[in-house]
Amino acid sequence: SFGYLWQRQVSTIAISVTMWYVLLLVGLAAAATDPYKERGFKYIVSNQKLHINQLLEELHELEEKFEKLSPDVDPKDVRHIRARIHSLEHDECPRHQGQCGGDVPQCINDLLFCDGHKDCRNGRDEDPEVCSEAVTHVGSSYTGLATWSSCEESRPHNAVVTITASQRKDFFPARIWVRAVLSFEIDEHTHRITTIPLRGYYNFGRRALVLGPERGQKAIYGVRCHFDLGDDDHATCHIVNPASLHECGHFTATRY
Amino acid sequence: ASGSLSNDTIPTSKMLRLFVLLGFAVSCCLASERQFCCSAEDRHIVEKQWEVLWGDTESSKLKIGFGSLLLQRLAKEVPEVTALFKKVNIEHPESGEFAAHSLRILNALDMIINLLDDPEALDAALDHLADQHHDREGVKKAHFKTFGQILHASLPRVLDDYNAMSWRSCFKGILLKISSKLQG
């Protein structure tokens, strides 16, 4: 009878263990269906993020490699080179005439530029770019290292032409009348500066700023600047004798 | 000198013009040192005309010849100078000492002319030369004046192109500066 009792007890324990196990399983299953899915989803998301990061890194490396290649050419440089080629091509117009430009070259008198009437076949003589008054805006300064070939015994030094006044007359708009000042350092140590008052005009057709001595002043120097580099900010300037136009010095001017 | 129509007034007007011009050249040299006296163009002319002499490789022969000629003329016109050049053996103009000294003087002249483009360096060089002449007792300002006259008389003989105005206006200042530290 002891043996039977033992067997019953064992089977009861087994049943209860099995029951507890099933209960545990059921409970676990009930608890785990949601978190498992979420974790799997999170895993996939972080995986994608890692993948994107890697792609970004590769892209970054490529960008760096690309940046190490030479940069794009500055459009200003292209304009300057084109202007210099243009001035070497010798399609210069005769005296007192200006080039219309464009595909079919045409020269017209420089008195006809920017006067409100189209005289070029392509109408370039009234083009807002050609008729830009920017060169003569009061306060514009053109600076460059002046080299002297005569008149002044001096090593190269900075020369400045500054526009102090400008006026365009309604009845004669083909010129802008200007007042300007030419100044340059004559002694580096004592910082002595010569200032020469000038007056003259800007000629649209020839893109030239022509300056002579101011009324009542000693006729020492005049200045001729050609804005021949394709914009209003760069010019080739010559310091000349106002009477003979004999060249004393020259400088390549930049608007400052 | 304008509007002279008759033939005989032309020479006088030309003379007058030259006179005025010469007077102007002298007075401007005294008045303003910078712009007019020995101007940039004067300096270029002097350099260009001087350069003609040194075309050959045997330039030192020419320098010695020209230099000793200048010094001998100076000694002839101002006899007291002979004593000053005793150390360099002026009694024997063919001697090595005197040849070397002639070369020295001509080289100094050459240096001055080649420094005309650089006024600051020229000033320094002239100052140095003034010091060197200050140390020689008996050298007088009048000697430099005579030397200048001899130079202006001799240069046109060796130079085909000689712009007297430019040379004069430049060398006046140069000789004055070299003799500026002398007593008499």
Side-chain angles (χ1 to χ4, degrees):
Chain A
S1 68
F2 180 78
Y4 171 74
L5 215 94
W6 172 249
Q7 217 171 21
R8 257 193 74 178
Q9 209 152 12
V10 166
S11 68
T12 337
I13 290 169
I15 286 167
S16 71
V17 164
T18 327
M19 248 173 70
W20 277 114
Y21 187 72
V22 169
L23 259 174
L24 189 78
L25 263 181
V26 168
L28 264 179
T33 32
D34 254 357
Y36 266 135
K37 237 188 192 172
E38 211 167 297
R39 268 171 71 183
F41 186 66
K42 270 185 185 164
Y43 174 76
I44 291 167
V45 168
S46 65
N47 222 3
Q48 292 299 318
K49 275 186 185 161
L50 276 174
H51 188 60
I52 289 172
N53 273 351
Q54 199 198 339
L55 280 177
L56 269 176
E57 214 168 277
E58 276 173 26
L59 187 67
H60 206 73
E61 266 171 38
L62 260 179
E63 274 178 345
E64 262 174 22
K65 260 188 198 170
F66 182 74
E67 264 162 38
K68 271 180 198 156
L69 302 175
S70 59
D72 266 352
V73 182
D74 191 350
K76 201 168 73 188
D77 293 337
V78 177
R79 204 164 54 224
H80 285 184
I81 289 173
R82 199 168 284 163
R84 285 171 65 185
I85 292 171
H86 187 74
S87 62
L88 283 172
E89 277 172 343
H90 288 299
D91 59 346
E92 285 282 306
C93 297
R95 255 173 88 86
H96 304 304
Q97 296 206 1
Q99 177 62 250
C100 285
D103 295 333
V104 186
Q106 185 195 357
C107 291
I108 63 164
N109 196 296
D110 61 28
L111 289 170
L112 302 175
F113 276 85
C114 308
D115 60 349
H117 181 271
K118 283 184 184 173
D119 298 280
C120 288
R121 280 190 292 266
N122 57 9
R124 270 275 289 177
D125 60 326
E126 302 300 328
D127 189 293
E129 201 181 301
V130 171
C131 297
S132 156
E133 294 182 7
V135 166
T136 62
H137 280 169
V138 172
S140 298
S141 265
Y142 303 98
T143 316
L145 201 64
T147 314
W148 295 85
S149 47
S150 61
C151 308
E152 201 80 29
E153 192 55 67
S154 159
R155 272 181 267 175
H157 55 217
N158 276 314
V160 187
V161 174
T162 307
I163 308 285
T164 55
S166 69
Q167 188 190 20
R168 194 170 180 189
K169 286 172 176 144
D170 294 335
F171 59 85
F172 181 53
R175 297 278 187 277
I176 301 181
W177 307 99
V178 295
R179 278 172 207 280
V181 168
L182 165 70
S183 43
F184 50 85
E185 207 168 50
I186 44 177
D187 194 335
E188 231 174 274
H189 302 307
T190 59
H191 199 62
R192 223 146 46 94
I193 287 172
T194 295
T195 308
I196 299 158
L198 303 168
R199 61 173 187 148
Y201 58 82
Y202 176 66
N203 180 334
F204 293 105
R206 305 184 61 78
R207 293 189 62 74
L209 185 67
V210 184
L211 301 166
E214 177 62 271
R215 206 172 299 176
Q217 296 283 331
K218 256 196 206 164
I220 312 174
Y221 293 124
V223 177
R224 279 155 45 115
C225 290
H226 282 101
F227 290 79
D228 54 0
L229 282 168
D231 57 24
D232 294 331
D233 301 330
H234 299 85
T236 315
C237 293
H238 299 271
I239 301 169
V240 296
N241 178 304
S244 62
L245 303 184
H246 167 80
E247 187 183 314
C248 289
H250 64 90
F251 61 100
T252 304
T254 312
R255 182 193 288 269
Y256 185 64
Chain B
S2 63
S4 50
L5 290 169
S6 67
N7 272 338
D8 11 4
T9 55
I10 287 171
T12 22
S13 80
K14 261 190 185 166
M15 280 281 282
L16 191 72
R17 212 180 293 171
L18 191 70
F19 208 72
V20 167
L21 216 63
L22 278 172
F24 181 67
V26 170
S27 67
C28 81
C29 285
L30 297 173
S32 148
E33 213 185 322
R34 195 179 164 84
Q35 272 276 355
F36 304 106
C37 183
C38 195
S39 68
E41 205 56 49
D42 281 335
R43 290 162 195 248
H44 296 171
I45 288 169
V46 167
E47 282 180 350
K48 222 182 216 172
Q49 294 183 343
W50 178 251
E51 208 182 74
V52 172
L53 287 178
W54 320 114
D56 276 337
T57 45
E58 301 270 300
S59 65
S60 49
K61 260 188 193 166
L62 193 63
K63 276 180 181 164
I64 291 166
F66 192 47
S68 87
L69 189 107
L70 288 175
L71 291 182
Q72 281 179 71
R73 279 228 182 118
L74 180 66
K76 211 171 169 189
E77 288 205 19
V78 193
E80 64 184 74
V81 159
T82 318
L84 300 173
F85 288 106
K86 210 162 194 174
K87 251 188 176 172
V88 291
N89 205 358
I90 196 170
E91 283 99 340
H92 305 97
E94 303 298 321
S95 68
E97 287 107 316
F98 194 65
H101 194 67
S102 304
L103 192 64
R104 222 171 285 144
I105 283 172
L106 250 274
N107 276 338
L109 211 61
D110 189 57
M111 173 183 70
I112 288 165
I113 290 170
N114 286 313
L115 280 179
L116 285 175
D117 277 335
D118 187 346
E120 243 175 274
L122 176 68
D123 261 2
L126 291 177
D127 195 61
H128 188 73
L129 284 172
D131 281 337
Q132 287 182 322
H133 285 91
H134 171 73
D135 294 345
R136 306 270 170 268
E137 215 163 295
V139 181
K140 287 177 187 157
K141 284 183 178 172
H143 300 162
F144 278 91
K145 207 175 170 191
T146 318
F147 185 78
Q149 285 162 359
I150 291 167
L151 192 66
H152 292 309
S154 326
L155 276 169
R157 296 179 179 224
V158 286
L159 299 176
D160 289 334
D161 284 322
Y162 179 73
N163 185 327
M165 296 274 257
S166 297
W167 280 85
R168 259 169 208 280
S169 77
C170 284
F171 265 84
K172 184 164 182 142
I174 287 165
L175 292 173
L176 269 177
K177 258 178 208 158
I178 296 177
S179 60
S180 62
K181 291 187 180 169
L182 300 176
Q183 309 299 332

